[in-house]
Amino acid sequence: ALFGLHALPYRIAFFLLLAVNLVLLARWSRNLSSSRFAAAAAALLFAYNPVMPEVYYGNAALYDVLCGFFLLLALNHYVRIRRESRPLTLTNLLVLLAFYGAALGSKEMAVSLPGVLLVYEILFHPHFRNWGKRIAPLLVLSAVTLLAMIQKIMVPNQMTANINHEYAPHFNAGQIGRGYLHYYRLLVFDDHLKPLFLVAG
């Protein structure tokens, strides 16, 4: 609205948001690992993989970038509190829900958040102390996820109402592996990097 159809301000804002996402990812990785190297490596891998050209050069990828932004805010918020072994208060939960709602509103891939937080609890807090208070926020997030998915699937919208627009997802592990191998060969300046080395790495 401010700049009309001039793309430059949009692209500047887009790349600023990508930079903020890198900082948030590095911060989250640092909180998980307490390692600057791990945080730097995670940020590098986050920025440098086969799907990123579509994000870097496609204007429609803003939804993905915004979803990542709000998810990373939610993850950082949750981990910051749980690192101190404190359960979430009602205020903490409302902030988490606000970030999650914004992420879901940006793109449906945000539904991964409850699962990621459950894995975090299992790996970093494997004890059973205060398990009721610890699991309650995850149950609330799961309920929100369920409601969001019901709304997406059951309420008619442009994607579900168009019977001519059928989408059949497919998974091709070989194609994905070749894509990653190509990009990591570029990253390490070695066209002869072997797939086995990449998998081991």
Side-chain angles (χ1 to χ4, degrees), residues 48-54 167 169-185 193 195 198-199:
Y48 199 84
N49 66 68
V51 300
M52 293 313 288
E54 185 177 340
Y167 174 67
H170 66 281
F171 179 78
N172 186 331
Q175 182 179 0
I176 293 169
R178 285 189 297 275
Y180 273 90
L181 183 61
H182 169 71
Y183 273 83
Y184 291 121
R185 280 174 173 169
L193 181 69
L198 182 61
V199 170

Side-chain angles (χ1 to χ4, degrees), residues 72-121:
L72 287 166
L73 284 174
L75 290 168
N76 275 293
H77 174 70
Y78 188 87
V79 171
R80 180 180 56 81
I81 294 162
R82 293 296 295 126
R83 279 189 75 195
E84 300 170 5
S85 296
R86 293 186 292 128
L88 271 67
T89 64
L90 179 59
T91 304
N92 298 145
L93 179 59
L94 290 175
V95 171
L96 184 64
L97 284 170
F99 290 147
Y100 186 43
L104 279 173
S106 301
K107 193 149 187 175
E108 294 82 3
M109 67 181 180
V111 298
S112 60
L113 181 65
V116 171
L117 295 183
L118 178 62
V119 170
Y120 168 80
E121 285 293 331

Side-chain angles (χ1 to χ4, degrees), residues 145-163:
T145 304
L146 182 62
L147 290 173
M149 289 301 93
I150 289 172
Q151 187 270 334
K152 286 285 183 186
I153 294 168
M154 304 299 284
V155 176
N157 59 61
Q158 291 180 348
M159 292 297 286
T160 60
N162 185 357
I163 60 171

